[in-house]
Amino acid sequence: MTHIDDRINEWLLDAHAMEEQAESLLSGQAHRIESYPELERRMNQHLEETRSQRKRLEACIERRGASRSATKDVIGKFTAIMQNMSGLFAGDEVVKGVLASYAFEHMEIASYRILIAACETAGDHETKSVLEEICREEEQMAQWLSDAMPEITRSHLTRSEADLSEAKR
Ligand code: MG
Ligand code: FE
């Protein structure tokens, strides 16, 4: 086993931990966005994709014979910060959730691009093509969030304005 293969195994385990965090981030948000049905639908779709990504990664880890004992906690801490952040700003959870999700997707994209380059270097084309497939799903999710962001923001602001004038009456 070469140094490069060790690194790839380690990074695959990091990606696996990241997808577990993505699962809890997405399922934690689902109940807070009922008033935004398109966002809710897309988040639930990505939750399903994320579960499937985790399984595809598990198959890569198994095929490469990489142990799961070395999983690190770095990504988990990052997500905890993101989740706490949305709690700090009462009332705009939807907007903060979109912000956190968009940032998270880009961390995923970077992780997979790095892994893809590493697999290319090592000549592991089977793992590389799985990672490219997963990376495309992350890119599509990031693009969807980017496109939806202005409308979600407008909708949130209009909604809270209406709630305020309702409360004053
Ligand atoms: Mg993912
Ligand atoms: Fe994702």
Side-chain angles (χ1 to χ4, degrees), residues 18-19 22 46 49-50 53 104-105 108 112 134 138:
M18 175 177 72
E19 294 303 347
H46 198 55
E49 283 171 349
T50 299
Q53 290 169 356
F104 197 95
E105 292 309 324
E108 294 186 290
Y112 288 117
I134 295 176
E138 312 298 18

Side-chain angles (χ1 to χ4, degrees), residues 4-164:
I4 296 173
D5 282 315
D6 286 344
R7 267 295 184 232
I8 292 172
N9 290 346
E10 196 182 302
W11 289 346
L12 281 170
L13 293 168
D14 289 344
H16 185 269
M18 175 177 72
E19 294 303 347
E20 285 181 329
Q21 290 300 318
E23 251 183 84
S24 68
L25 186 70
L26 285 161
S27 53
Q29 264 168 26
H31 70 278
R32 287 193 279 183
I33 54 176
E34 287 138 357
S35 317
Y36 301 78
E38 275 176 53
L39 177 63
E40 187 182 28
R41 199 178 316 122
R42 190 60 178 92
M43 296 286 250
N44 283 328
Q45 184 197 325
H46 198 55
L47 178 58
E48 286 313 304
E49 283 171 349
T50 299
R51 289 187 176 126
S52 151
Q53 290 169 356
R54 177 172 53 73
K55 287 176 196 146
R56 278 175 274 168
L57 285 174
E58 281 164 9
C60 291
I61 289 163
E62 196 152 326
R63 178 163 34 78
R64 289 181 52 91
S67 121
R68 210 177 294 180
S69 57
T71 308
K72 282 181 287 175
D73 204 27
V74 182
I75 312 281
K77 280 170 189 156
F78 177 84
T79 316
I81 292 164
M82 290 311 223
Q83 281 169 338
N84 290 341
M85 212 173 92
S86 44
L88 285 175
F89 301 85
D92 66 347
E93 291 90 353
V94 169
V95 172
K96 285 297 188 292
V98 169
L99 191 163
S101 300
Y102 188 72
F104 197 95
E105 292 309 324
H106 282 85
M107 185 178 64
E108 294 186 290
I109 291 165
S111 303
Y112 288 117
R113 286 185 186 163
I114 288 164
L115 262 169
I116 288 162
C119 288
E120 174 77 50
T121 307
D124 183 350
H125 301 293
E126 196 174 347
T127 305
K128 182 177 168 245
S129 74
V130 174
L131 297 170
E132 283 169 340
E133 184 183 77
I134 295 176
C135 194
R136 273 193 295 277
E137 294 168 3
E138 312 298 18
E139 286 163 352
Q140 283 162 9
M141 183 58 181
Q143 188 61 52
W144 190 93
L145 288 166
S146 175
D147 293 342
M149 228 176 267
E151 181 50 36
I152 290 166
T153 306
R154 275 192 293 273
S155 172
H156 164 72
L157 291 173
T158 312
R159 219 178 272 268
S160 40
E161 186 93 332
D163 288 350
L164 269 175

